[in-house]
Amino acid sequence: MTDVKATFPHLGNYFVPLEVLFTAGIEVDYIVPPPITNRTLELGTRHSPDFVCTPFKYNLGNYIESLEAGANTLVQVGGACRLDYYGELHEQILRDLGYDFRFVNIGSTKLTKPLTFYNILKEINPDMTLKNIARVLPVVLKMIQYIDEAEDFIRKNIGFERNPGEFDHTHQRFLLEMRSIRSKKELYNYYIKYMNIFKSIEVDKPKKPLRVGVIGEYYTIMVPFSNHFIEKELATMGIVIDRWMNLTNSVIHDFRPEAKEHIKNYVTFDMGATAMYTIDKALQFAKKGYDGIIHVKSFGCTPETDAIPVLQNISSDYKIPILYFSFDSQTSEIGIKTRLEAFYDMIIMRKEAV
Amino acid sequence: MFIMKADREKPAKVTVGIPKALLYFKYFHLWESFFQTLGINYIVSPDTNKDILNKGINYAVDEACLSSKIYLGHVAWLMGKCDYILVPRISSFGKAGKVCTKFYAIYDLVMSTFTDSDFKLINYNIDSTNSENERKAFVKMGVALGKSKSQSLYAYIIAKQTQKTQLNIIKNEQLKLLNKDGIKILIIAHRYTVLDKYIGEPIVRLLKQMGTTPIFGHVVDTKEALVRSEEISKTLPWLFNKELIGALALYKDKVDGIILMTTFPCGPDSLVNEVVIRKIKDKPILNLILDGQEGTAGLETRLESFIDIIKFKRSDEID
């Protein structure tokens, strides 16, 4: 073992597969960032430029708290939007704050090429072996897929559980025990076991429950704290929540050509980052007759802002209500709750009218 | 052969409308010369004014950047006054860099915003990673307007030369200014911000009134600037910002102060400005965020105190 203590900012529950990737694959210690709290956001906001998008601030807060927890190697990736330039500024801000660390900026390197991927990981630990990473990477990718499948099931059922808290509790156990799994076979059996447990949880689901689709910007949609736990809020109202966006559908598989084809009546060109997926899924939810759609993003997110006029057209063509949320570090909790409640009242009245 | 076909059909005389916003300020030599050579009528929307801005604000999503709101205002002005509106779509210049996703989206943004009006846009798409380059885009555009491929290609080559000549003249003029005595202020801003008559130009005018010489970051040799940009930032993905940062590296030692001028809430600038402020420590920097709301009084005060600081610094150095 080296003395490397690596960390990567939080994204949903993916710290579980990431931990396996770092510890078993790259063979370094991994510091899971402390759970996101108000302090994380405050720290990040205090040292970030004013109108940078909120994910930048959360990431920075995660880095600071991970450094405090002993991390010495920070990893950042690139992306199709401002994310592509996060790394350099994160590093600069943290250096200016006086922290001592190594920064590995994967930037916009094409991760789909296995060899490039390997070379970059080697930067984190030069002693890493190809054999090891080749053994662990498939397990990590499967873990991501299984987490996504389980969470998709939870979102659609948690609002109807007979014993409140059962899904959450099982979900936490599912994630916790997964951290020690190192083989694909073991993982598969584990997944089957847990899916059966999830499916055996008693639910009172009406024949035609309210269905709401959640769409929007990559980070905000996947990090519950950053969207003020909107999915949880919807579940307590007894709604089926459908959210397509996750790592499986965006990083592991490339659905861009399909998305572009689906939405050709609305959009000619790729509008950047996740805009195509946002529009594609909105259209799909509309066609399936969902009761409403919720669009979430961080303040000033350019591609998602540009998708809004298209969403408005879909909303009026298919007569489906869309609620737009834009989060920044100052968003008021009460404002969100009130708007959600009004949205709920509206969709339930529409349903009863039909 | 193509020419004969075009002649036989004798398409009705069309007029192209050009919004005087966003990429206009980078490409107007190229566009105007292209249409002139092809003998195609075109009109350019007027300088941005209060009315155009308000129109844009009405059509745009609240959170959109000021520059894109202004753009929609210009498009709205052109509605009904021409047959086609030129809305170029750019996503990538290949290895040179990418652009803000606003330029990816602008074509569809216009199409989705003005759903109640009847209008046509010209298809003009540059996406080097998918081998859609500028020349191809211009030939397509010429053909769409009823000209032949060879006519369009010829017009593009002429237009490209005109653009080069014009930009060289502007560059040489600035070179002279760089060697002038007196206080020089380097303005780092996108062309569509600093050259816009309503938002950027008032600031340039004020700087001149205060007896200083404005130097423009966008007036620079692109190739040289892209190389020099690495001195300040190595991973910057956006071509337009890279060019400006390169200019900053090139001109920094010849000027007395730097103004970063940004329209709210510009995505790329939100990060790049912070990098500049953190990395450039030997020159005073003023970070101006323009939201199209303020009168000039507040701006004047900020500019005055900025110039005062520079004057103090200079007199210190002389003592």
Side-chain angles (χ1 to χ4, degrees):
Chain A
M1 269 291 182
T2 57
D3 55 356
V4 174
K5 288 181 172 36
T7 188
F8 183 80
H10 267 302
L11 185 69
N13 290 318
Y14 299 119
F15 63 91
V16 176
L18 276 172
E19 187 185 42
V20 176
L21 175 70
F22 278 88
T23 52
I26 312 175
E27 294 175 283
V28 294
D29 280 347
Y30 185 71
I31 305 282
V32 177
I36 297 177
T37 61
N38 281 327
R39 178 175 185 264
T40 319
L41 181 58
E42 268 165 34
L43 278 173
T45 306
R46 193 183 314 148
H47 303 294
S48 294
D50 276 345
F51 56 88
V52 74
C53 37
T54 341
F56 182 92
K57 300 173 183 174
Y58 280 106
N59 280 188
L60 185 63
N62 280 153
Y63 283 137
I64 293 175
E65 290 185 324
S66 291
L67 285 163
E68 289 169 352
N72 58 20
T73 302
L74 316 183
V75 182
Q76 183 56 287
V77 293
C81 57
R82 265 187 268 190
L83 172 58
D84 224 12
Y85 196 47
Y86 273 17
E88 190 171 330
L89 185 54
H90 275 142
E91 180 179 0
Q92 184 70 40
I93 292 171
L94 294 167
R95 297 247 180 262
D96 288 348
L97 285 171
Y99 289 106
D100 186 26
F101 57 87
R102 207 153 58 93
F103 200 86
V104 180
N105 194 352
I106 296 176
S108 48
T109 321
K110 283 227 159 41
L111 291 185
T112 40
K113 289 186 183 149
L115 198 64
T116 339
F117 190 62
Y118 171 67
N119 285 334
I120 286 202
L121 297 184
K122 259 210 125 93
E123 221 182 292
I124 301 170
N125 178 14
D127 299 332
M128 183 188 86
T129 63
L130 186 58
K131 199 178 135 213
N132 230 340
I133 193 79
R135 186 177 52 82
V136 173
L137 197 58
V139 182
V140 169
L141 295 177
K142 266 282 167 251
M143 253 179 206
I144 293 173
Q145 270 165 286
Y146 290 155
I147 290 178
D148 288 341
E149 277 169 41
E151 292 186 354
D152 188 56
F153 182 83
I154 296 171
R155 273 191 291 272
K156 286 172 178 158
N157 292 286
I158 188 168
F160 311 95
E161 59 188 355
R162 207 165 273 170
N163 307 314
E166 214 175 336
F167 268 108
D168 254 353
H169 183 72
T170 318
H171 186 200
Q172 288 312 318
R173 229 172 50 220
F174 167 70
L175 292 170
L176 190 73
E177 288 170 28
M178 190 187 259
R179 292 167 81 165
S180 58
I181 294 180
R182 295 289 179 272
S183 87
K184 236 173 146 175
K185 189 155 184 276
E186 191 189 348
L187 180 67
Y188 177 75
N189 293 334
Y190 178 79
Y191 165 73
I192 296 295
K193 181 183 104 186
Y194 261 96
M195 279 316 278
N196 283 332
I197 302 179
F198 282 126
K199 281 173 189 158
S200 68
I201 293 176
E202 281 180 89
V203 288
D204 278 325
K205 212 172 178 176
K207 256 210 173 107
K208 285 196 169 165
L210 282 175
R211 291 178 302 169
V212 167
V214 181
I215 54 173
E217 170 250 308
Y218 207 62
Y219 184 91
T220 304
I221 200 170
M222 287 201 264
V223 178
F225 190 96
S226 78
N227 62 42
H228 293 251
F229 301 95
I230 212 161
E231 288 175 355
K232 211 163 234 177
E233 208 61 57
L234 287 168
T236 59
M237 296 169 171
I239 296 174
V240 170
I241 300 143
D242 198 343
R243 185 244 280 178
W244 174 88
M245 176 56 76
N246 54 33
L247 279 192
T248 306
N249 289 338
S250 57
V251 173
I252 300 181
H253 300 297
D254 183 5
F255 289 109
R256 270 174 305 179
E258 285 98 318
K260 219 179 153 191
E261 177 65 23
H262 295 159
I263 62 173
K264 63 180 179 201
N265 289 338
Y266 286 93
V267 169
T268 310
F269 299 109
D270 186 340
M271 295 177 83
T274 47
M276 310 302 280
Y277 295 140
T278 296
I279 297 164
D280 180 23
K281 291 310 138 189
L283 188 58
Q284 216 170 79
F285 293 140
K287 283 182 174 167
K288 282 185 187 164
Y290 276 43
D291 299 286
I293 295 173
I294 294 184
H295 180 246
V296 298
K297 68 167 192 311
S298 67
F299 175 83
C301 171
T302 310
E304 289 296 327
T305 305
D306 291 340
I308 289 179
V310 186
L311 296 179
Q312 287 167 339
N313 292 340
I314 291 174
S315 170
S316 79
D317 289 351
Y318 288 86
K319 309 275 175 284
I320 182 167
I322 303 182
L323 179 60
Y324 300 92
F325 278 112
S326 192
F327 300 101
D328 67 15
S329 46
Q330 304 296 328
T331 314
S332 111
E333 197 78 40
I334 297 164
I336 297 162
K337 250 191 150 137
T338 315
R339 292 186 61 203
L340 266 183
E341 278 162 9
F343 184 71
Y344 172 77
D345 290 344
M346 178 189 49
I347 59 174
I348 203 152
M349 272 181 336
R350 277 169 55 105
K351 195 164 188 95
E352 281 161 3
V354 173
Chain B
M1 203 177 88
F2 288 113
I3 298 168
M4 275 173 60
K5 191 176 170 227
D7 276 345
R8 210 168 41 240
E9 284 175 2
K10 283 241 177 323
K13 194 85 178 150
V14 295
T15 303
V16 173
I18 305 178
K20 199 179 217 173
L22 290 182
L23 294 175
Y24 170 83
F25 295 102
K26 185 174 168 62
Y27 290 113
F28 68 93
H29 298 116
L30 185 69
W31 295 346
E32 295 190 8
S33 164
F34 179 74
F35 292 130
Q36 279 163 15
T37 314
L38 280 178
I40 290 169
N41 277 342
Y42 66 88
I43 52 167
V44 180
S45 58
D47 293 334
T48 307
N49 53 43
K50 185 104 196 143
D51 190 44
I52 287 179
L53 174 62
N54 284 340
K55 263 205 186 92
I57 290 173
N58 279 337
Y59 277 108
V61 174
D62 281 351
E63 266 172 51
C65 67
L66 177 62
S67 304
S68 67
K69 288 177 178 167
I70 290 175
Y71 190 85
L72 292 182
H74 283 272
V75 172
W77 187 91
L78 286 166
M79 290 279 164
K81 296 189 178 75
C82 52
D83 303 290
Y84 292 96
I85 301 176
L86 177 65
V87 177
R89 188 263 180 187
I90 297 183
S91 69
S92 152
F93 291 98
K95 281 204 180 108
K98 5 186 221 185
V99 293
C100 168
T101 59
K102 187 61 80 183
F103 299 106
Y104 294 40
I106 197 83
Y107 178 95
D108 288 299
L109 187 58
V110 168
M111 287 302 265
S112 315
T113 302
F114 298 94
T115 42
D116 49 353
S117 349
D118 195 20
F119 66 98
K120 283 188 197 131
L121 302 186
I122 307 182
N123 187 317
Y124 167 161
N125 178 28
I126 298 180
D127 183 354
S128 298
T129 29
N130 291 315
S131 70
E132 293 287 342
N133 60 26
E134 192 180 80
R135 195 182 65 197
K136 245 168 127 178
F138 272 72
V139 171
K140 261 190 199 168
M141 185 158 73
V143 171
L145 292 169
K147 301 293 172 180
S148 74
K149 268 190 185 170
S150 55
Q151 280 175 321
S152 308
L153 182 59
Y154 173 76
Y156 171 69
I157 292 165
I158 297 286
K160 204 68 192 164
Q161 271 165 1
T162 312
Q163 183 193 33
K164 207 174 166 188
T165 316
Q166 293 298 324
L167 292 182
N168 274 335
I169 294 172
I170 298 170
K171 261 180 255 170
N172 288 333
E173 274 168 16
Q174 174 144 306
L175 277 181
K176 278 181 225 154
L177 291 178
L178 270 169
N179 295 320
K180 237 176 97 174
D181 291 333
I183 297 177
K184 289 179 289 264
I185 306 293
L186 174 60
I187 304 177
I188 297 294
H190 294 292
R191 289 175 182 81
Y192 49 79
T193 304
V194 64
L195 298 178
D196 188 284
K197 289 274 191 284
Y198 192 73
I199 52 168
E201 220 210 45
I203 295 166
V204 177
R205 214 180 313 134
L206 281 171
L207 284 172
K208 285 183 182 159
Q209 278 168 15
M210 291 172 190
T212 68
T213 307
I215 302 291
F216 298 107
H218 66 266
V219 182
V220 68
D221 182 77
T222 306
K223 271 187 195 151
E224 206 181 343
L226 292 184
V227 173
R228 294 290 299 268
S229 73
E230 306 233 333
E231 290 167 23
I232 296 173
S233 177
K234 284 202 166 55
T235 64
L236 189 48
W238 305 292
L239 179 69
F240 300 157
N241 284 89
K242 228 166 144 175
E243 201 180 356
L244 288 169
I245 295 310
L248 182 58
L250 271 164
Y251 298 150
K252 183 172 75 80
D253 296 332
K254 293 182 181 158
V255 298
D256 303 276
I258 300 157
I259 294 181
L260 309 173
M261 201 193 283
T262 291
T263 50
F264 184 81
C266 173
D269 287 6
S270 70
L271 295 164
V272 178
N273 289 358
E274 185 76 12
V275 168
V276 169
I277 291 166
R278 284 175 182 270
K279 289 200 179 172
I280 308 287
K281 297 288 186 194
D282 54 347
K283 290 284 165 183
I285 300 179
L286 178 66
N287 192 9
L288 279 185
I289 313 295
L290 308 175
D291 61 5
Q293 302 296 320
E294 46 196 313
T296 49
L299 274 176
E300 236 176 294
T301 320
R302 290 189 66 192
L303 286 175
E304 270 168 11
S305 65
F306 182 63
I307 303 298
D308 281 346
I309 292 168
I310 290 171
K311 281 183 182 159
F312 279 130
K313 242 191 122 187
R314 268 171 80 103
S315 58
D316 272 0
E317 279 161 13
I318 291 163
D319 296 341

